[in-house]
């Protein structure tokens, strides 16, 4: 067949059209990050908390690795829903990421009947960055020096103790509900808008106890502003030293763990996902980052996307059982 024949030309044109999607895909793969476009890490909580502190440290490490500006954007509100929706609605180009805790994918779906997102359909698991815990704290001048001190007082004085939380449905709320259920006690819930506000209320004596994130709990304890009584994870943390977990403190069953996680929008291209995961893994190996995470009461995991997806399912099932047992609904 002659190269100049009409049939030959048609075949060559058809091949060119067939290869076009591959060429476009390769061009897209090479375009991440898009020149001049910053990467935005959405933190669905106010500034000053554990998630925000870690996100800002990682953003600084990611900038030279990815060759573009990396910003942290705090979008607090509605039990992380407002910030999560920022990412759900974003283009799937790798330039909008979510850094959050277990509430977003594992707890909210069980707490809200009309949640505006599906964590399994509307988000792409990127990395389970670190495991973390929750620490029971009381004001520095509190008469309580152990978990059992609180339990004994609460049993004798139903409803008199006030406990703070970051917000309705947050881990700090759910864990204290578990404590009440496990001990047959009744306390009054005072929700706040984020860990910073809840911590200030605790230090100011407006509330009696708070299950706080380890980063802020440790900082406030070192500053002599709070006392740490126990933590909720059955596994140890270097920074928490000899602090007992809840089982060791006399209340078995309040043994929950959490973690810091990265998500992207749904349908994040595989090549972009791989590049982001690799950059995050490198950032999390940085000695400064490792030390900051350990000192703040976290343990770096730096999972693969597949490992993250499996962890989400496990946490979703576990928290679903907890929330059904508590009988909680927030809408």
């Amino acid at each position: 067949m002659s190269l100049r024949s009409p049939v030959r030309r048609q075949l060559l044109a058809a091949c060119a059209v067939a290869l076009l999607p591959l060429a476009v895909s390769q061009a897209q793969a090479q375009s991440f990050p898009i020149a001049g476009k910053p990467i935005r890490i959405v933190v669905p909580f106010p500034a000053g908390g554990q998630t925000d502190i870690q996100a800002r440290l990682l953003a600084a490490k990611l900038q030279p690795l990815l060759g573009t500006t990396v910003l942290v954007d705090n979008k607090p509100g509605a039990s992380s829903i407002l910030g999560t929706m920022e990412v759900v609605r974003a283009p799937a180009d790798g330039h909008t990421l979510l850094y959050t805790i277990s509430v977003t994918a594992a707890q909210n779906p069980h707490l809200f009947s009309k949640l505006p997102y599906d964590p399994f359909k509307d988000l792409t698991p990127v990395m389970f960055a670190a495991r973390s815990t929750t620490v029971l704290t009381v004001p520095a001048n509190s008469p309580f020096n152990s978990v059992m001190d609180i339990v004994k007082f609460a049993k004798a004085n139903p409803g008199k103790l006030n406990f703070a939380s970051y917000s309705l449905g947050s881990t700090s709320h759910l864990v204290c509900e578990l404590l009440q259920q496990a001990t047959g006690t009744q306390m009054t819930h005072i929700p706040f808008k984020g860990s910073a506000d809840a911590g200030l209320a605790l230090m100011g004596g407006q509330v009696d106890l708070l299950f706080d994130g380890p980063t802020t709990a440790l900082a406030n304890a070192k500053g002599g502003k709070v006392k740490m009584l126990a933590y909720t994870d059955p596994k140890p943390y270097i920074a928490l030293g000899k602090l007992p977990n809840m089982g060791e403190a006399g209340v078995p069953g309040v043994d929950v763990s959490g973690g810091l996680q990265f998500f992207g929008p749904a349908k994040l291209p595989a090549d972009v996902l791989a590049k982001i995961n690799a950059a995050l893994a490198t950032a999390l190996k940085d000695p400064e980052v490792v030390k900051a995470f350990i000192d703040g009461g976290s343990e770096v995991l730096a999972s693969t996307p597949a490992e993250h997806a499996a962890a989400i399912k496990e946490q979703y099932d576990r928290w679903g059982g907890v929330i059904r047992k508590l009988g909680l609904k927030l809408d």
Side-chain angles (χ1 to χ4, degrees), residues 106-107 109-111 174 178 181 315-329:
Q107 296 166 7
H110 304 289
L111 290 168
L174 295 177
L178 277 176
Q181 188 175 83
Q315 287 197 333
Y316 174 91
D317 291 341
R318 178 164 52 82
W319 276 109
V322 168
I323 292 166
R324 284 191 295 274
K325 187 177 179 181
L326 293 172
L328 285 177
K329 275 289 182 183

Side-chain angles (χ1 to χ4, degrees), residues 106 128 261 301 303 305-318:
F128 205 115
Q261 308 170 47
L301 295 177
S303 79
E307 290 168 340
H308 184 195
I312 294 167
K313 182 63 168 62
E314 186 275 329
Q315 287 197 333
Y316 174 91
D317 291 341
R318 178 164 52 82

Side-chain angles (χ1 to χ4, degrees), residues 158-164 176 180 186-191 207-208:
K160 189 170 182 180
L161 289 181
N162 296 327
F163 74 92
C176 205
Q180 293 176 89
Q186 180 185 347
M187 293 179 267
T188 302
H189 178 210
I190 311 294
V207 294
D208 300 296

Side-chain angles (χ1 to χ4, degrees), residues 99-143:
Y99 192 50
T100 188
I101 57 177
S102 302
V103 63
T104 299
Q107 296 166 7
N108 280 349
H110 304 289
L111 290 168
F112 296 91
S113 302
K114 298 179 181 180
L115 194 66
Y117 65 88
D118 182 324
F120 299 102
K121 295 179 181 179
D122 298 325
L123 294 168
T124 297
V126 174
M127 174 181 281
F128 205 115
R131 70 179 181 89
S132 188
T133 188
T134 308
V135 182
L136 176 54
T137 58
V138 295
N141 62 354
S142 170

Side-chain angles (χ1 to χ4, degrees), residues 2-330:
S2 169
L3 289 175
R4 296 180 179 179
S5 70
V7 174
R8 181 64 172 178
R9 287 196 297 271
Q10 289 172 357
L11 286 172
L12 289 172
C15 288
V17 171
L19 290 171
L20 184 59
L22 178 60
V24 171
S25 175
Q26 289 173 338
Q28 289 173 339
Q30 293 169 355
S31 69
F32 177 80
I34 299 168
K37 184 175 183 179
I39 292 171
R40 183 168 61 123
I41 299 175
V42 177
V43 173
F45 309 106
Q50 177 184 22
T51 316
D52 175 69
I53 292 167
Q54 292 184 353
R56 292 181 187 280
L57 178 58
L58 288 171
K61 300 297 181 181
L62 287 171
Q63 285 192 170
L65 292 171
L66 293 172
T68 192
T69 301
V70 182
L71 306 171
V72 173
D73 189 3
N74 297 91
K75 295 288 183 181
S79 190
S80 84
I81 294 172
L82 294 182
T84 299
M85 291 307 296
E86 285 277 316
V87 179
V88 168
R89 298 189 186 105
D93 59 6
H95 281 262
T96 307
L97 301 172
L98 179 71
Y99 192 50
T100 188
I101 57 177
S102 302
V103 63
T104 299
Q107 296 166 7
N108 280 349
H110 304 289
L111 290 168
F112 296 91
S113 302
K114 298 179 181 180
L115 194 66
Y117 65 88
D118 182 324
F120 299 102
K121 295 179 181 179
D122 298 325
L123 294 168
T124 297
V126 174
M127 174 181 281
F128 205 115
R131 70 179 181 89
S132 188
T133 188
T134 308
V135 182
L136 176 54
T137 58
V138 295
N141 62 354
S142 170
F144 306 127
N145 294 304
S146 71
V147 177
M148 293 313 298
D149 285 347
I150 292 174
V151 173
K152 289 175 184 177
F153 184 90
K155 283 185 175 181
N157 302 273
K160 189 170 182 180
L161 289 181
N162 296 327
F163 74 92
S165 77
Y166 308 154
S167 65
L168 281 169
S170 63
T171 301
S172 56
H173 174 200
L174 295 177
V175 171
C176 205
E177 294 287 354
L178 277 176
L179 172 61
Q180 293 176 89
Q181 188 175 83
T183 58
T185 54
Q186 180 185 347
M187 293 179 267
T188 302
H189 178 210
I190 311 294
F192 289 85
K193 294 181 179 179
S195 61
D197 287 349
L200 286 172
L202 181 76
M203 291 181 285
Q206 298 168 26
V207 294
D208 300 296
L209 61 142
L210 165 67
F211 279 94
D212 200 2
T215 302
T216 45
L218 282 161
N220 291 334
K222 288 176 182 176
K225 300 174 182 177
V226 304
K227 292 186 287 190
M228 302 190 299
L229 303 186
Y231 66 98
T232 60
D233 196 325
K235 296 179 181 179
Y237 288 81
I238 294 171
L240 296 177
K242 295 182 180 180
L243 188 73
N245 62 38
M246 291 295 289
E248 294 167 337
V251 186
V254 189
D255 53 352
V256 295
S257 59
L260 293 305
Q261 308 170 47
F262 278 98
F263 292 88
K267 299 179 181 179
L268 196 63
D271 52 297
V272 174
L273 174 60
K275 191 168 184 178
I276 295 170
N277 182 273
L280 284 169
T282 299
L284 284 163
K285 291 176 185 175
D286 185 289
E288 182 185 358
V289 173
V290 172
K291 184 178 186 303
F293 273 54
I294 289 175
D295 290 349
S298 297
E299 302 285 341
V300 171
L301 295 177
S303 79
T304 65
E307 290 168 340
H308 184 195
I312 294 167
K313 182 63 168 62
E314 186 275 329
Q315 287 197 333
Y316 174 91
D317 291 341
R318 178 164 52 82
W319 276 109
V322 168
I323 292 166
R324 284 191 295 274
K325 187 177 179 181
L326 293 172
L328 285 177
K329 275 289 182 183
L330 300 182

